[in-house]
Amino acid sequence: MTAPPGTASAVLSCGEVLTCILPSQQPLDAESAAALLSLRTDERVLVSERPNLYALSPETLTGVDCALPTANGAKVRVVGTVAVRATLTEGRVLQTTAYFRAPADGPDRRRAWGHYLMRPGWVEPLGRLPEQEAADGILRGGRPGELDLGLIADGLLTQLLRHPLLDQAVPFKKSRRTRLRWAALSAPAGPGPSIQRFTLGEGDLRTIRLSVPDGTRPVAVAGLCEDFALHDWLLTTVVRLLDGRLGSVEAPTALTALRPAVEHLMHLWMPRARGDRTLSTLWDVLEQEPGFTRQWQSISQRIRDQLALLNTLAPRRVPTGETT
């Protein structure tokens, strides 16, 4: 979805990504994934099988006319449409994302809806947009009546989780959805993209504040943040699965802890598999602090060591006809 020619440049884009395990005992194949994410009849679901199975829904729009959260309490009314989409990775991990972009200022009065529908995923302020305060307000979360991207993303997630294709059999316990809120401010030409702040909030909330070159497509930032959210969810879920049980050498207990991680999650770790290459360098920041892949590799090695130990301690099976 692109805006018509003549649309002002966006100075701020914001979004929220929800990530969860698909309630299906078996992962969906490519055909079923496309059926699940078929949100519109006029656009097809994009499916890729390399380097892993990945399905991306077409975008839908949610109209908004409400106050925008701001860190300093400034009253800003915005009108427009929020873009919403969903992804499914390896038929197993479902994500929904709601996001928008906004210009530095807008008209003093609300325009006809036709104007906003011609600008998908575009939200205009009535007057000036305090972009820094708006970015921090979105990350902090608004009050009742203010724009809530998480609520919009949750609406699509709830719809998809009720799809008749799903048998509602969660493949393992100790899996909860996570939320990643993001805000990206446009920077003048010259500086490359940067992560200004990444935080692990209370519960399952994460926030990330970005600076991106002027002209960066919001859909590219959304894709990057979906990738961040996917791998944060994987790391969080595996840590929960193994919490306090990885050191046990008692076969039943250890295998109960290890099996879900090995069967369903370990093969999904693939940072930067997709997305805009101009933004992929931002992964380097998260690799240093908090160190996503370093922690994942450490956990993966412990799992391999545990499996090797269990194999060593397991009674040796004697083939039929052989004596010991």
Side-chain angles (χ1 to χ4, degrees):
M1 293 181 176
T2 58
T7 300
S9 298
V11 297
L12 173 68
S13 57
C14 301
E16 185 158 340
V17 188
L18 304 183
T19 307
C20 70
I21 191 73
L22 196 70
S24 174
Q25 189 62 38
Q26 298 297 324
L28 299 189
D29 58 20
E31 182 178 353
S32 298
L36 175 70
L37 301 188
S38 184
L39 305 182
R40 297 172 52 172
T41 58
D42 60 334
E43 287 191 36
R44 65 185 182 89
V45 175
L46 300 179
V47 179
S48 170
E49 296 185 351
R50 300 289 185 274
N52 57 10
L53 180 59
Y54 173 83
L56 171 65
S57 78
E59 291 183 347
T60 61
L61 300 177
T62 298
V64 296
D65 181 350
C66 57
L68 187 71
T70 57
N72 61 357
K75 303 297 183 182
V76 181
R77 178 184 172 189
V78 293
V79 187
T81 59
V82 172
V84 194
R85 71 182 196 176
T87 69
L88 186 64
T89 301
E90 282 292 344
R92 181 59 78 193
V93 183
L94 178 64
Q95 296 180 286
T96 57
T97 302
Y99 71 99
F100 71 87
R101 52 183 172 164
D105 51 61
D108 293 331
R109 296 182 180 180
R110 173 177 162 171
R111 297 172 175 173
W113 266 115
H115 168 83
Y116 301 108
L117 292 176
M118 288 290 291
R119 293 158 175 79
W122 181 262
V123 168
E124 286 183 349
L126 298 188
R128 190 184 69 84
L129 176 73
E131 52 204 76
Q132 299 284 346
E133 291 78 9
D136 289 336
I138 287 287
L139 296 179
R140 183 192 61 190
R143 294 180 287 269
E146 295 181 331
L147 181 59
D148 188 339
L149 296 173
L151 188 63
I152 297 173
D154 186 66
L156 177 56
L157 185 66
T158 300
Q159 172 189 329
L160 294 175
L161 292 178
R162 293 173 177 169
H163 198 284
L165 274 171
L166 307 179
D167 58 21
Q168 302 303 320
V170 179
F172 55 86
K173 298 180 181 180
K174 290 198 173 184
S175 172
R176 298 200 301 265
R177 70 181 60 174
T178 58
R179 296 178 293 150
L180 174 67
R181 288 183 191 147
W182 57 269
L185 291 155
S186 295
S194 64
I195 295 178
Q196 298 178 342
R197 186 172 66 248
F198 176 75
T199 62
L200 298 176
E202 294 183 2
D204 297 301
L205 174 66
R206 290 86 169 91
T207 64
I208 187 165
R209 197 176 196 269
L210 306 160
S211 175
V212 298
D214 188 28
T216 300
R217 297 180 306 141
V219 69
V221 184
L224 174 76
C225 291
E226 286 166 350
D227 197 28
F228 286 165
L230 170 65
H231 290 85
D232 171 76
W233 179 87
L234 284 171
L235 189 55
T236 300
T237 302
V238 170
V239 168
R240 283 176 179 157
L241 282 171
L242 305 180
D243 184 28
R245 296 190 289 175
L246 197 58
S248 172
V249 294
E250 297 179 8
T253 302
L255 287 176
T256 298
L258 296 174
R259 185 169 183 172
V262 174
E263 288 188 352
H264 304 293
L265 303 177
M266 302 302 294
H267 62 290
L268 300 183
W269 190 265
M270 206 173 293
R272 295 186 250 209
R274 294 176 179 83
D276 192 311
R277 297 304 176 191
T278 63
L279 298 177
S280 65
T281 55
L282 294 179
W283 258 106
D284 296 334
V285 179
L286 293 182
E287 297 296 24
Q288 294 185 15
E289 182 65 39
F292 273 36
T293 297
R294 185 167 61 249
Q295 185 177 4
W296 181 265
Q297 290 174 341
S298 174
I299 292 173
S300 299
Q301 187 58 54
R302 289 193 67 193
I303 290 174
R304 294 189 195 98
D305 292 344
Q306 188 84 19
L307 290 173
L309 181 59
L310 289 172
N311 185 60
T312 300
L313 297 178
R316 179 171 175 263
R317 293 184 179 180
V318 180
T320 303
E322 181 179 336
T323 59
T324 58

Coordinates of all heavy atoms in Angstrom, one line a residue, residues 106-138:
G106 N -0.7 18.7 10.1 CA -1.8 18.4 9.2 C -2.8 19.6 9.2 O -2.5 20.6 9.7
P107 N -3.9 19.4 8.6 CA -4.9 20.4 8.5 C -5.5 20.8 9.9 O -5.4 20.0 10.8 CB -6.0 19.9 7.6 CG -5.9 18.4 7.8 CD -4.4 18.1 8.1
D108 N -6.2 22.0 9.9 CA -6.8 22.4 11.2 C -8.1 21.7 11.4 O -8.6 21.6 12.5 CB -7.0 23.9 11.2 CG -5.7 24.6 11.2 OD1 -4.7 24.1 11.8 OD2 -5.6 25.8 10.7
R109 N -8.7 21.2 10.3 CA -10.0 20.5 10.4 C -9.9 19.1 9.8 O -9.1 18.9 8.9 CB -11.1 21.3 9.7 CG -11.3 22.7 10.3 CD -12.4 23.4 9.5 NE -12.7 24.7 10.1 CZ -13.6 25.6 9.6 NH1 -14.4 25.2 8.6 NH2 -13.8 26.7 10.2
R110 N -10.8 18.3 10.2 CA -10.9 16.9 9.7 C -11.4 17.0 8.2 O -12.3 17.7 7.9 CB -11.8 16.1 10.5 CG -12.1 14.7 9.9 CD -13.0 13.9 10.8 NE -13.5 12.8 10.1 CZ -14.2 11.8 10.6 NH1 -14.4 11.8 12.0 NH2 -14.7 10.8 9.9
R111 N -10.8 16.1 7.4 CA -11.2 16.1 6.0 C -12.1 14.9 5.8 O -12.4 14.1 6.7 CB -9.9 15.9 5.1 CG -8.9 17.0 5.2 CD -7.7 16.7 4.5 NE -6.8 17.9 4.4 CZ -5.5 17.8 4.0 NH1 -5.0 16.7 3.6 NH2 -4.8 18.9 4.0
A112 N -12.7 14.8 4.6 CA -13.6 13.8 4.3 C -12.9 12.4 4.3 O -11.7 12.3 4.0 CB -14.2 14.0 2.9
W113 N -13.6 11.3 4.6 CA -13.0 10.0 4.8 C -12.3 9.6 3.5 O -11.3 8.8 3.5 CB -14.0 9.0 5.2 CG -14.0 8.8 6.7 CD1 -15.0 9.1 7.5 CD2 -12.9 8.3 7.5 NE1 -14.7 8.8 8.8 CE2 -13.4 8.3 8.9 CE3 -11.6 7.9 7.3 CZ2 -12.6 8.0 9.9 CZ3 -10.8 7.5 8.4 CH2 -11.3 7.5 9.7
G114 N -12.8 10.0 2.3 CA -12.1 9.6 1.1 C -10.7 10.0 1.0 O -9.8 9.3 0.5
H115 N -10.3 11.2 1.6 CA -9.0 11.6 1.7 C -8.1 10.6 2.5 O -7.0 10.3 2.0 CB -8.9 13.0 2.4 CG -7.5 13.5 2.7 ND1 -6.7 14.1 1.8 CD2 -6.8 13.4 3.9 CE1 -5.5 14.4 2.4 NE2 -5.6 13.9 3.7
Y116 N -8.6 10.1 3.6 CA -7.8 9.2 4.4 C -7.7 7.8 3.8 O -6.7 7.2 3.9 CB -8.3 9.2 5.8 CG -8.4 10.5 6.5 CD1 -9.6 11.2 6.7 CD2 -7.2 11.2 6.9 CE1 -9.7 12.4 7.3 CE2 -7.3 12.4 7.5 CZ -8.5 13.1 7.7 OH -8.6 14.3 8.3
L117 N -8.8 7.4 3.1 CA -8.8 6.1 2.5 C -7.8 6.0 1.4 O -7.3 4.9 1.0 CB -10.2 5.7 2.1 CG -11.2 5.5 3.2 CD1 -12.6 5.2 2.6 CD2 -10.7 4.3 4.1
M118 N -7.5 7.2 0.8 CA -6.5 7.2 -0.3 C -5.1 7.2 0.2 O -4.1 7.0 -0.6 CB -6.7 8.5 -1.2 CG -8.0 8.4 -2.0 SD -7.8 7.3 -3.4 CE -6.5 8.1 -4.4
R119 N -4.9 7.2 1.5 CA -3.6 7.2 2.2 C -3.6 6.1 3.2 O -3.6 6.3 4.4 CB -3.3 8.6 2.8 CG -3.2 9.7 1.7 CD -3.4 11.1 2.3 NE -3.1 12.1 1.3 CZ -4.0 12.4 0.3 NH1 -5.1 11.8 0.2 NH2 -3.6 13.3 -0.6
P120 N -3.5 4.9 2.8 CA -3.5 3.7 3.7 C -2.4 3.7 4.7 O -1.2 4.0 4.3 CB -3.4 2.5 2.8 CG -2.8 3.0 1.5 CD -3.3 4.4 1.4
G121 N -2.7 3.4 5.9 CA -1.7 3.4 7.0 C -1.1 4.8 7.3 O -0.1 4.9 7.9
W122 N -1.9 5.8 7.0 CA -1.5 7.2 7.2 C -2.4 7.9 8.2 O -3.6 7.9 8.0 CB -1.5 7.9 5.8 CG -1.1 9.3 5.8 CD1 -1.9 10.4 5.8 CD2 0.3 9.8 5.6 NE1 -1.2 11.6 5.7 CE2 0.2 11.2 5.6 CE3 1.5 9.2 5.5 CZ2 1.3 12.1 5.5 CZ3 2.6 10.0 5.4 CH2 2.5 11.4 5.4
V123 N -1.8 8.5 9.2 CA -2.6 9.1 10.3 C -2.1 10.6 10.3 O -1.0 10.9 10.5 CB -2.4 8.5 11.6 CG1 -2.9 9.3 12.7 CG2 -3.0 7.1 11.7
E124 N -3.1 11.5 10.2 CA -2.8 12.9 10.2 C -3.2 13.6 11.5 O -4.3 13.4 12.0 CB -3.5 13.7 9.0 CG -2.9 13.4 7.6 CD -3.6 14.2 6.6 OE1 -4.7 14.8 6.8 OE2 -3.1 14.2 5.4
P125 N -2.3 14.4 12.0 CA -2.7 15.2 13.2 C -3.5 16.4 12.8 O -3.4 16.9 11.6 CB -1.4 15.7 13.8 CG -0.5 15.8 12.6 CD -0.9 14.7 11.6
L126 N -4.4 16.9 13.6 CA -5.0 18.2 13.4 C -4.1 19.2 14.0 O -4.1 19.5 15.2 CB -6.4 18.2 14.0 CG -7.4 17.2 13.4 CD1 -8.8 17.4 14.0 CD2 -7.4 17.1 11.9
G127 N -3.3 19.9 13.1 CA -2.3 20.8 13.6 C -0.9 20.2 13.6 O -0.6 19.3 12.8
R128 N -0.1 20.6 14.5 CA 1.3 20.2 14.6 C 1.4 18.9 15.4 O 0.7 18.7 16.4 CB 2.2 21.2 15.2 CG 3.7 21.0 15.1 CD 4.5 22.0 15.8 NE 4.3 21.9 17.3 CZ 5.0 21.1 18.0 NH1 5.9 20.3 17.5 NH2 4.8 21.0 19.3
L129 N 2.3 18.0 14.9 CA 2.6 16.7 15.6 C 3.9 16.9 16.5 O 5.0 17.1 15.9 CB 2.8 15.6 14.6 CG 3.2 14.3 15.3 CD1 2.0 13.6 16.0 CD2 3.7 13.3 14.2
P130 N 3.8 16.8 17.8 CA 5.0 16.8 18.7 C 5.7 15.4 18.6 O 5.4 14.5 19.4 CB 4.4 17.1 20.0 CG 3.0 16.5 20.0 CD 2.6 16.6 18.6
E131 N 6.5 15.2 17.6 CA 6.9 13.8 17.2 C 7.7 13.1 18.3 O 7.5 11.9 18.6 CB 7.8 13.9 15.9 CG 8.9 14.9 16.0 CD 9.3 15.3 14.6 OE1 8.6 16.1 14.0 OE2 10.4 14.8 14.2
Q132 N 8.6 13.8 19.0 CA 9.3 13.2 20.1 C 8.4 12.7 21.2 O 8.5 11.6 21.7 CB 10.4 14.1 20.7 CG 11.4 14.6 19.7 CD 12.5 13.6 19.4 OE1 12.6 12.6 20.1 NE2 13.2 13.8 18.3
E133 N 7.5 13.6 21.6 CA 6.5 13.3 22.7 C 5.5 12.2 22.3 O 5.1 11.3 23.1 CB 5.8 14.5 23.1 CG 6.6 15.6 23.9 CD 7.5 16.4 22.9 OE1 7.3 16.3 21.7 OE2 8.3 17.2 23.4
A134 N 5.2 12.2 21.0 CA 4.2 11.2 20.5 C 4.9 9.8 20.4 O 4.3 8.8 20.8 CB 3.8 11.6 19.1
A135 N 6.2 9.8 20.0 CA 6.9 8.5 20.0 C 7.0 7.9 21.4 O 6.7 6.7 21.6 CB 8.3 8.7 19.5
D136 N 7.3 8.8 22.4 CA 7.4 8.3 23.8 C 6.1 7.9 24.3 O 5.9 7.0 25.1 CB 8.1 9.3 24.7 CG 9.6 9.4 24.4 OD1 10.2 8.5 23.8 OD2 10.2 10.5 24.6
G137 N 5.0 8.6 23.9 CA 3.7 8.3 24.4 C 3.2 7.0 23.9 O 2.6 6.2 24.6
I138 N 3.5 6.7 22.6 CA 3.1 5.4 22.0 C 3.8 4.3 22.8 O 3.2 3.2 23.1 CB 3.4 5.3 20.5 CG1 2.4 6.2 19.7 CG2 3.4 3.9 20.0 CD1 1.1 5.6 19.6

